């Protein structure tokens, strides 16, 4: 269990990496179409719908990566394969992989 001040920082970092940092990635690497790319990145957060099939839906002591179906290692392999395509499929792959990295760091690099 995290102390309250660490838990607050952990939550801030988690949502910053899900919501704000993808805007920076979009702006730096896709400057001419960064708004479209950022919206695609935000849309990849729909991958969290698989949490609705878990009981409980949210468990702070559960690692999302490897547990939920769309966070499984098989799914992550498919997301990696999307990097080898061009256009929106690559952008979706980047968004999904960054989402997995964010969920991974949220559990592994902080107290839980």
């Amino acid at each position: 269990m995290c102390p309250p001040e660490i838990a607050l920082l952990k939550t801030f970092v988690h949502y910053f990496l899900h919501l704000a940092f993808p805007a920076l990635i979009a702006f730096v690497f896709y400057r001419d179409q960064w708004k479209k790319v950022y919206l695609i990145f935000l849309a990849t957060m729909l991958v969290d719908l698989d949490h609705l099939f878990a009981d409980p839906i949210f468990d702070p002591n559960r690692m999302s990566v490897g547990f939920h179906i769309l966070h499984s290692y098989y799914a992550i392999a498919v997301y990696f394969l999307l990097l080898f395509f061009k256009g929106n499929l690559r952008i979706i792959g980047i968004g999904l992989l960054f989402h997995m990295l964010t969920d991974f760091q949220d559990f592994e690099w902080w107290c839980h």
Side-chain angles (χ1 to χ4, degrees):
M1 190 57 106
C2 288
E5 60 277 0
I6 299 298
L8 182 63
L9 180 62
K10 175 184 174 183
T11 300
F12 174 80
V13 169
H14 180 84
Y15 287 105
F16 174 81
L17 290 175
H18 272 322
L19 300 171
F21 197 73
L24 180 65
I25 294 171
F27 187 75
V28 169
F29 294 102
Y30 296 93
R31 186 163 296 179
D32 56 329
Q33 53 181 348
W34 75 270
K35 291 177 186 174
K36 172 191 158 198
V37 171
Y38 178 60
L39 289 175
I40 293 171
F41 285 162
L42 288 181
T44 63
M45 297 228 291
L46 290 171
V47 74
D48 277 340
L49 288 173
D50 63 358
H51 290 249
L52 296 175
F53 299 106
D55 185 29
I57 291 173
F58 174 73
D59 181 354
N61 295 315
R62 179 175 62 214
M63 165 68 114
S64 293
V65 176
F67 182 81
H68 303 289
I69 188 75
L70 297 177
H71 290 67
S72 70
Y73 295 108
Y74 296 112
I76 293 170
V78 172
Y79 306 155
F80 179 77
L81 290 175
L82 291 174
L83 299 178
F84 294 96
F85 292 88
K86 292 184 179 184
N88 290 344
L89 287 177
R90 180 177 292 163
I91 293 166
I92 291 167
I94 293 167
L96 289 167
L97 288 172
F98 191 75
H99 183 101
M100 296 303 130
L101 179 64
T102 297
D103 285 358
F104 177 82
Q105 70 79 34
D106 191 52
F107 186 81
E108 288 294 330
W109 298 348
W110 297 86
C111 47
H112 53 273

